[in-house]
Amino acid sequence: MKTFECVCGNRVHFENSRCIACGRPLGFLPDCRVVSALEPSPPDGWRTLHPAAEDKLYTMCHNYEHENVCNWMVPAADANQYCASCRLNRIIPNLGDPKNRTHWYHIETAKRRLLYTLLELGLPIVGKSADGDDGLAFQFLADTAKDTEFFDSVSSRDSVRTGHLKGTITINIAEANPSEREKIREKMNELYRTLLGHFRHEIGHYYWNLLVRPTQWLEPARQIFGDERNDYDTALANYYANGAPADWQRDFISAYASAHPWEDWAETWAHYMHMVDTLETAHDFGFFIDGREVLPPRLSANQGSQWAQSDVVCIIDFDSLLNNWIDLTIAMNALNRSMGLPDAYPFALSGTAINKLRFVHRLIYDSVPPA
């Protein structure tokens, strides 16, 4: 995730809605992928002050102006009152319960970070309003029964299962409560559990159906992840009853990835999203590890990199991306330990897991060539 600059010169962040230095309102422009300072443009619009979109006119997303859970803008020519992120919502939490607004805010923050990475990678994002069969939608629901599990296919019929079905991603809003999420992480003996991680995992299922299942990538995917036609419900029931194989780290990126080829794919996809976003952040802040610059996944010629070609954006090769990632995560973990915190990156990548990540990298950049 990059940082941005207000017109006053102050560094601003992706989630900011106001510059703390000059007080100007800020908005994210999804068509330009920048956070811009804004000035009013009567009667009810906003003019951008960012060089990438200077003098363009926008309106605030309804959920920005009225609900304070968004900071994205809508081009003035677009009649939709919702931004490109919020219009993907099919169901939002019941706002009659005051704590749900806080949960919704955290859910929307994670969702927008997900969408930013997808936009940066050039992946297709089409809502169900435009494509009822293959489009994307989100619904954020709460359990109707207390003290039930919500994370697997063998849970109570009264509980909400975080998951994906035919392009619709469901998030149980309990995942937005850090204490509840930590209790589940400990109960499941997981190394890592975050709201953003859920979004990245479930969008992996969506892109399996969009980029793998109907394409020439299906058979190569089966060779590396396994045959997804194996009965899913039986596999999940077995996983929750017996856990992962003792040697799961030899072949999988996480214990849950061992449950079924679909989960192996989604866990690997999510892990790749973690890598590219974190590397972009480290590069934006000018990180050097052992004298070597941390490079982002996408490079342009004006960055002076050996991977740049002419004046176009190009893609860093996977081995270089991986080496950067290993260097960065060693440093991240050392910094966390210095603060008495758990490792930021509690994973060990086997050769098999690395090859699965390499597959995701190849698929993304072969399916979506750089602009």
Side-chain angles (χ1 to χ4, degrees):
M1 174 65 68
K2 299 171 187 171
T3 55
F4 304 91
E5 188 174 286
C6 178
V7 68
C8 73
N10 185 49
R11 185 193 291 265
V12 296
H13 301 272
F14 180 67
E15 292 84 5
N16 291 159
S17 57
R18 187 167 295 275
C19 176
I20 61 172
C22 70
R24 287 183 174 88
L26 304 169
F28 180 74
L29 316 179
D31 51 336
C32 302
R33 302 200 298 280
V34 297
V35 172
S36 173
L38 307 167
E39 64 178 15
S41 177
D44 55 4
W46 295 88
R47 187 181 306 277
T48 66
L49 301 176
H50 194 285
E54 196 166 9
D55 291 334
K56 280 189 174 183
L57 296 178
Y58 292 81
T59 59
M60 285 183 174
C61 173
H62 176 87
N63 288 337
Y64 184 174
E65 188 171 18
H66 298 287
E67 304 293 349
N68 199 31
V69 297
C70 180
N71 69 337
W72 283 27
M73 305 297 289
V74 182
D78 190 336
N80 199 312
Q81 65 178 323
Y82 293 101
C83 70
S85 172
C86 290
R87 69 185 61 174
L88 297 174
N89 292 347
R90 174 173 284 180
I91 300 174
I92 64 169
N94 175 13
L95 300 182
D97 185 339
K99 70 176 182 296
N100 284 353
R101 183 175 295 276
T102 301
H103 292 339
W104 186 29
Y105 171 82
H106 292 300
I107 288 168
E108 291 293 345
T109 299
K111 184 184 68 155
R112 291 196 305 274
R113 277 197 165 244
L114 165 75
L115 294 176
Y116 171 86
T117 302
L118 302 181
L119 289 169
E120 283 289 287
L121 293 175
L123 290 162
I125 307 172
V126 178
K128 282 199 172 293
S129 60
D131 186 342
D133 293 328
D134 296 322
L136 178 64
F138 296 91
Q139 53 186 21
F140 310 128
L141 305 174
D143 288 336
T144 57
K146 294 182 179 179
D147 300 324
T148 58
E149 305 295 351
F150 56 81
F151 47 82
D152 65 64
S153 63
V154 295
S155 59
S156 164
R157 69 178 61 188
D158 294 322
S159 63
V160 173
R161 292 177 294 179
T162 291
H164 167 268
L165 181 64
K166 298 180 179 178
T168 297
I169 291 174
T170 300
I171 301 291
N172 186 311
I173 65 171
E175 291 286 359
N177 183 325
S179 60
E180 290 298 317
R181 192 172 61 248
E182 179 62 13
K183 284 197 306 186
I184 297 299
R185 188 196 68 77
E186 290 184 349
K187 183 175 182 178
M188 297 297 294
N189 196 29
E190 295 174 334
L191 297 174
Y192 175 92
R193 189 180 187 93
T194 67
L195 191 53
L196 181 54
H198 281 306
F199 275 104
R200 288 172 171 165
H201 175 100
E202 301 305 340
I203 204 72
H205 288 303
Y206 173 72
Y207 282 116
W208 172 276
N209 287 333
L210 204 64
L211 301 180
V212 179
R213 181 179 55 80
T215 72
Q216 75 277 8
W217 290 96
L218 180 58
E219 287 305 321
R222 285 173 176 165
Q223 291 297 315
I224 191 168
F225 293 97
D227 193 335
E228 84 291 351
R229 292 169 294 188
N230 294 337
D231 188 82
Y232 181 77
D233 289 340
T234 300
L236 265 288
N238 178 68
Y239 174 79
Y240 286 113
N242 302 308
D247 60 350
W248 65 264
Q249 289 182 315
R250 184 189 65 187
D251 296 317
F252 301 99
I253 211 159
S254 71
Y256 187 54
S258 69
H260 185 273
W262 275 337
E263 300 306 338
D264 192 9
W265 161 264
E267 286 287 272
T268 305
W269 177 280
H271 206 97
Y272 185 81
M273 297 291 107
H274 294 332
M275 291 171 63
V276 297
D277 192 28
T278 308
L279 285 168
E280 183 183 56
T281 303
H283 175 78
D284 186 70
F285 278 93
F287 279 31
F288 278 70
I289 307 294
D290 291 334
R292 296 187 299 275
E293 180 185 13
V294 174
L295 297 172
R298 296 168 70 89
L299 298 163
S300 60
N302 60 18
Q303 288 173 292
S305 165
Q306 61 179 303
W307 289 278
Q309 301 171 357
S310 181
D311 59 350
V312 300
V313 172
C314 69
I315 308 306
I316 191 171
D317 66 274
F318 179 77
D319 288 333
S320 298
L321 184 148
L322 178 66
N323 289 335
N324 271 261
W325 180 242
I326 292 171
D327 288 345
L328 179 62
T329 54
I330 291 171
M332 286 165 53
N333 287 346
L335 289 168
N336 264 32
R337 292 171 190 176
S338 297
M339 292 291 293
L341 296 171
D343 284 353
Y345 184 71
F347 300 94
L349 298 178
S350 68
T352 302
I354 288 171
N355 284 334
K356 291 173 180 178
L357 288 164
R358 189 189 308 275
F359 181 91
V360 172
H361 180 85
R362 286 180 49 227
L363 179 142
I364 288 175
Y365 291 119
D366 283 3
S367 301
V368 187

